[in-house]
Amino acid sequence: MSTAGFSFASGNLAKLLALPKYLLSLLVSWFVPRGEQRWVFGSGIGVGEGALPLARALRASDPDARIVWLVADDAEAELARAEGFEAVPRRGRAGYWETLRASRVVVTHGLGDANRFGVYGATVVQLWHGAPLKRLHLDSPVTTAVRGPAPVRALLRRMYLAGSREIDLFVAGSVTAAERLRSAFRVDPGKVRVLGDPRDDALAQQARDPEAAAAARARLLEALGEAGSAVADTDVIVLYAPTWRDGDPDPAAPDAAEVALIRRTLAESGAHLLIRSHPLGSGAYEPMVGERVHLLGADRVRDITPLLGGVDTVVTDYSSIAIDFSLLGRPIVWFAPDLEHYTATRGLYEPLAVTAAGRVERDWTSVARRLAELSGSVLAARAAQADARSLATRFHAHPEGGAAARALSEIIRLRTPLRELVTPASVFFESFYGRQVSCNPLALDREISRRFPQLTRYWSVTGERQRVPEGAVPLLVGGREWFAARRTARLLVVNDWLRYRFRRRRGQTVMQTWHGTMLKHLALGRPNVGLRTRLAIRRESRRWSLLLSQNPHSTEQFRSSYAFRGEILETGYPRDDRLAQAMLGSERNPIAVRTARAALGIDPDARVLAYAPTWRDGGLTLVDELDVRALAEQLGEEWTVVARGHTRTHAFGRYGGATARVVDASQHPDVNDVILAADLLVTDYSSIMFDASIAQLPTVFFVPDLAAYRDRERGFTFDFEREAPGPLLSQRSEVVECARQLAELGVAADWVRRSAPAAAAWRERFNPHDDGRASERVVRALVERGALG
């Protein structure tokens, strides 16, 4: 039978009952000063995890720092004092007072590693305790489990979010881990930094230094006591480390036959098996213990990570210990007897087969077989080592180590004045809240960098994988440098709302480029706009110095929709310069078409249908009314479907998957590639229709919800049904027929000929300035107004 010291349900109940204490402590924190040199450290496992190397680095770099380690018992206190730290009980007045007075609080599991009631107003650093494989925090329904009605669960969720907001810095070992932490804790990207995991610094050293690895083996055997003396120098050490299951029984406990098989396999392989249950729960593994099987619980070793250099093979299920161990490039055996149940309840960030490079054992018999294979086959061992190295590449951005020093430096920088973090008089760019490096801001970046190469250019991004233009500096949304750049930039170029209570300062110019001509009503023009929203819209438009417009229709709509009384530059769209420059009369330059298709990874000789729907107010979900998979099947092998979803739907799934002929270009940085690559555009109410007309791209409108969208959702700013430059369709079969006619007859297709007059009138009305030189005109206007130069 398994035991557990903690479960989410009991912890959540305690959190709710402590709500009055949280509120009172928030009030008290306003009156208690924090000492600049006072630091508090804590960890859910005691004196260990990444907090320990970080505290050691602090002690070495700043002898005047007062380091207090909050402990749970006398054993932890003894370990803390042995390290030269002050030991204070976590619970009670002393722990509360130390936390309340500290300028910095460092934890590895949660705010409860310190005294959770004293953290308000401190600089709080969350190191976490391993790369996330299983879903964490708000990403898993188990985390917020509590009995009670919906309001109680809603209150608990708000408390979790409030706790996340108290954390100033999350330290991640890799971009993948950072993305998962941002999702789990619902924090701004800039609060999570990829600095390496301090708890892996020792492993990084052991990976490159055989003597350090040998020392780790010696400490590991010493921890085993008498059993360790029976392990020969040539014996293989296998560590089994299952994860915790929130109090549920461990399903991996072997039966008698499996115990016998394991023992026989270990004897034949010259191996010893160390069983390391999770500190919060242990399984029924006592029947396995024998000559070559040993228990290695938290009573013997509190922190196993620094000793992994003494292990030859790790067996685990979903534990992040495998990610740590991968730094050594040694074999990992993935063993998950309850894979389906665990995936359905706790959840994993990716299928375990992806993490495990395709091989997951499901019972002890297959584990024993795998251990024998690794022992008896050099090729099998080398392949497993290669898989481990590949895993390390994904999850360790800094395999060289030094994470504690980087984290300490970043913590110190958190208290650096904003003005010292960035170059003043710079240019700040943001497109779609930082989700893309694209649109009008990107086109203006190109022109500004060409004319003013000496200017520092900052780009707002939401993740490390985004690429900014050459010479530009990426800043993660919500980070201190991001706020500093917005505050000090001479010019801000954005295409959506500024958010975060931005205030335009004296001498700043805010260029609002927007992101398309509007078919649907915006802002104040939308039906049933409430007072709060109206006030927010007017407040937002007052932040803008200049507003960019593509055409007279947009100018008129901006005046009414945003009550904007400032200057509007009606210049055409910089983002469409490339489209205009790609035209040879009424035809697109074949070189431009091939270049765009190469950028999207499309066969240059394929026929290409682009599907680009807009989002819906009724719910943030992937819009696929056309069903691109079915469409691709009906079109046949000669066609490729390129689907591009709105930026507001990127988090809600991806297109394709059923066929290689569906390309998801939703996060491709340049929509112009989609337009130039296409033979046919299918959209609904997206502003891409106004850009595509510059390239004279045949367009059809798939609008089965036309009446609902027109009458109940957004409504139109002009008579779309009468003026649309292409047919309005409601059946997929109609789209397929239009595509087939276009393939057979080209512009001579009947529906193309019928749409030609409307398409010409459309271009005359909506693209009068889109001649390929809009960027030049906008930058010239900025220079004339003193925003550049």
Side-chain angles (χ1 to χ4, degrees):
M1 182 65 65
S2 71
T3 61
F6 173 83
S7 72
F8 284 120
S10 61
N12 289 334
L13 179 59
K15 187 187 295 286
L16 288 168
L17 293 175
L19 182 58
K21 292 183 180 179
Y22 285 108
L23 298 176
L24 179 61
S25 294
L26 176 60
L27 179 64
V28 171
S29 69
W30 294 345
F31 301 99
V32 178
R34 293 184 178 275
E36 183 63 23
Q37 290 295 97
R38 302 174 77 102
W39 292 63
V40 158
F41 287 79
S43 174
I45 70 162
V47 183
E49 287 287 352
L52 181 55
L54 181 60
R56 288 170 174 167
L58 171 61
R59 183 183 57 198
S61 65
D62 186 0
D64 294 329
R66 181 171 182 263
I67 303 175
V68 171
W69 200 287
L70 297 185
V71 299
D73 52 40
D74 291 341
E76 288 185 15
E78 184 178 347
L79 291 172
R81 285 190 287 266
E83 289 284 347
F85 311 141
E86 294 184 44
V88 173
R90 182 181 303 139
R91 298 179 183 273
R93 293 180 182 179
Y96 174 63
W97 182 247
E98 291 294 345
T99 307
L100 195 63
R101 295 292 309 281
S103 63
R104 284 102 165 180
V105 176
V106 179
V107 298
T108 64
H109 288 65
L111 297 178
D113 292 352
N115 187 291
R116 66 175 69 248
F117 303 109
V119 300
Y120 301 109
T123 296
V124 182
V125 180
Q126 170 59 274
L127 300 178
W128 203 240
H129 47 280
L133 296 181
K134 48 184 175 285
R135 290 191 176 274
L136 305 176
H137 215 59
L138 295 174
D139 281 345
S140 176
V142 172
T143 308
T144 54
V146 68
R147 293 180 180 178
V152 172
R153 295 194 297 273
L155 175 60
L156 179 65
R157 183 179 178 86
R158 286 181 176 273
M159 293 179 69
Y160 267 92
L161 290 171
S164 295
R165 286 194 293 268
E166 289 301 317
I167 299 173
D168 298 277
L169 173 66
F170 291 80
V171 176
S174 66
V175 174
T176 299
E179 291 168 342
R180 294 175 182 181
L181 289 172
R182 288 165 187 150
S183 173
F185 289 90
R186 307 295 195 266
V187 293
D188 291 327
K191 281 196 170 186
V192 185
R193 302 303 297 269
V194 179
L195 306 171
D197 192 336
R199 83 174 191 171
D200 288 332
D201 281 354
L203 276 181
Q205 182 183 5
Q206 293 162 19
R208 63 177 181 268
D209 182 357
E211 290 187 5
R217 180 184 174 102
R219 294 197 302 274
L220 188 64
L221 297 182
E222 182 183 358
L224 286 175
E226 185 178 345
S229 61
V231 180
D233 291 343
T234 57
D235 283 351
V236 173
I237 296 180
V238 179
L239 176 69
Y240 172 50
T243 195
W244 167 61
R245 285 170 169 77
D246 191 31
D248 290 339
D250 190 330
D255 58 28
E258 290 174 321
V259 169
L261 175 61
I262 294 163
R263 289 176 174 173
R264 186 167 61 251
T265 301
L266 293 173
E268 292 172 353
S269 303
H272 287 256
L273 177 64
L274 312 185
I275 299 176
R276 168 77 176 189
S277 293
H278 193 281
L280 290 179
S282 60
Y285 295 108
E286 289 79 3
M288 295 179 69
V289 175
E291 182 182 354
R292 290 184 174 272
V293 182
H294 320 284
L295 295 181
L296 187 68
D299 57 328
R300 291 181 177 271
V301 176
R302 286 179 178 264
D303 191 356
I304 189 65
T305 309
L307 303 185
L308 289 178
V311 173
D312 297 293
T313 301
V314 158
V315 180
T316 189
D317 42 21
Y318 323 104
S319 172
S320 61
I321 199 172
I323 303 301
D324 304 310
F325 188 69
S326 69
L327 265 176
L328 299 166
R330 300 175 188 174
I332 301 168
V333 177
W334 298 88
F335 172 35
D338 60 339
L339 180 58
E340 292 78 14
H341 175 74
Y342 196 89
T343 302
T345 53
R346 180 63 185 264
L348 301 171
Y349 280 106
E350 65 186 20
L352 188 59
V354 173
T355 313
R359 181 158 185 171
V360 180
E361 313 302 341
R362 304 303 301 274
D363 53 48
W364 277 106
T365 300
S366 54
V367 170
R369 187 182 305 117
R370 178 61 171 161
L371 291 174
E373 181 182 24
L374 292 172
S375 173
S377 169
V378 173
L379 291 178
R382 287 179 178 173
Q385 292 163 0
D387 289 341
R389 289 192 295 270
S390 178
L391 189 65
T393 299
R394 290 185 60 203
F395 284 97
H396 293 282
H398 295 282
E400 73 280 5
R406 279 188 297 274
L408 181 60
S409 177
E410 186 65 24
I411 294 168
I412 301 300
R413 289 183 75 248
L414 287 175
R415 301 178 81 87
T416 303
L418 289 179
R419 64 181 179 275
E420 299 179 16
L421 296 175
V422 294
T423 303
S426 56
V427 184
F428 176 90
F429 295 91
E430 183 174 79
S431 179
F432 300 113
Y433 301 140
R435 298 188 190 112
Q436 287 190 345
V437 177
S438 65
C439 197
N440 291 311
L442 178 59
L444 290 173
D445 176 281
R446 294 190 185 110
E447 182 64 15
I448 290 172
S449 65
R450 184 184 69 82
R451 291 194 55 184
F452 304 98
Q454 77 282 2
L455 276 178
T456 300
R457 294 151 28 240
Y458 293 111
W459 264 94
S460 172
V461 297
T462 57
E464 293 83 359
R465 300 185 198 276
Q466 291 171 268
R467 294 290 175 262
V468 300
E470 184 177 356
V473 180
L475 298 178
L476 288 165
V477 171
R480 297 189 79 240
E481 293 89 346
W482 184 83
F483 280 110
R486 294 207 317 170
R487 180 185 297 233
T488 62
R490 182 178 176 186
L491 170 65
L492 289 83
V493 181
V494 300
N495 75 346
D496 216 320
W497 286 34
L498 284 143
R499 307 164 296 152
Y500 294 90
R501 300 179 181 178
F502 173 82
R503 292 180 60 190
R504 176 161 47 99
R505 285 171 167 73
R506 185 186 300 275
Q508 278 189 317
T509 298
V510 176
M511 161 66 77
Q512 172 60 263
T513 73
W514 205 242
H515 48 269
T517 288
M518 59 293 298
L519 163 64
K520 50 187 176 284
H521 283 298
L522 298 176
L524 296 172
R526 295 167 59 181
N528 305 316
V529 178
L531 176 61
R532 183 178 178 182
T533 301
R534 288 179 177 276
L535 292 174
I537 290 168
R538 292 176 182 274
R539 183 172 59 248
E540 175 65 23
S541 65
R542 286 198 297 270
R543 293 168 172 161
W544 309 337
S545 310
L546 300 168
L547 182 54
L548 193 61
S549 170
Q550 189 174 18
N551 48 53
H553 173 75
S554 294
T555 301
E556 177 186 353
Q557 289 299 315
F558 281 134
R559 289 290 185 205
S560 59
S561 295
Y562 275 97
F564 184 68
R565 298 296 174 259
E567 183 178 7
I568 295 181
L569 300 180
E570 190 181 297
T571 60
Y573 259 3
R575 76 179 185 184
D576 289 332
D577 285 350
R578 181 183 168 200
L579 294 177
Q581 293 165 6
M583 296 304 293
L584 299 175
S586 61
E587 300 287 335
R588 282 169 285 157
N589 188 326
I591 296 177
V593 174
R594 295 179 73 88
T595 299
R597 292 187 174 186
L600 293 169
I602 298 173
D603 184 343
D605 298 320
R607 297 192 185 278
V608 179
L609 181 149
Y611 176 52
T614 193
W615 64 294
R616 299 297 193 273
D617 289 344
L620 294 181
T621 57
L622 190 72
V623 177
D624 190 12
E625 300 291 335
L626 193 53
D627 191 343
V628 294
R629 299 179 186 180
L631 176 67
E633 291 300 316
Q634 288 183 248
L635 287 172
E637 293 184 0
E638 66 175 328
W639 284 87
T640 295
V641 176
V642 177
R644 184 176 178 87
H646 194 280
T647 56
R648 290 179 183 258
T649 66
H650 286 179
F652 299 94
R654 294 182 61 83
Y655 294 98
T659 170
R661 297 197 309 278
V662 176
V663 175
D664 189 326
S666 298
Q667 299 189 44
H668 186 74
D670 196 345
V671 70
N672 288 332
D673 284 328
V674 176
I675 294 171
L676 291 172
D679 297 298
L680 172 64
L681 171 66
V682 182
T683 186
D684 45 17
Y685 318 107
S686 169
S687 64
I688 196 174
M689 65 180 71
F690 301 97
D691 307 302
S693 65
I694 300 169
Q696 301 192 34
L697 177 63
T699 302
V700 300
F701 300 87
F702 186 68
V703 288
D705 61 341
L706 176 61
Y709 197 91
R710 178 195 62 210
D711 301 333
R712 295 193 296 276
E713 185 159 347
R714 282 292 192 100
F716 302 136
T717 58
F718 58 88
D719 192 342
F720 174 58
E721 293 164 84
R722 182 173 62 85
E723 299 181 36
L728 307 182
L729 311 176
S730 59
Q731 301 292 328
R732 189 190 317 119
S733 59
E734 296 174 306
V735 174
V736 172
E737 181 57 30
C738 284
R740 287 176 175 166
Q741 288 183 25
L742 186 67
E744 293 174 7
L745 302 174
V747 295
D750 183 57
W751 69 269
V752 178
R753 288 189 294 103
R754 288 200 311 270
S755 302
W762 184 278
R763 287 191 295 276
E764 183 176 352
R765 180 181 180 186
F766 296 113
N767 306 117
H769 309 296
D770 293 310
D771 59 358
R773 306 192 68 178
S775 296
E776 296 177 25
R777 288 191 290 273
V778 173
V779 172
R780 188 183 310 124
L782 291 170
V783 172
E784 292 170 354
R785 287 154 182 79
L788 287 171

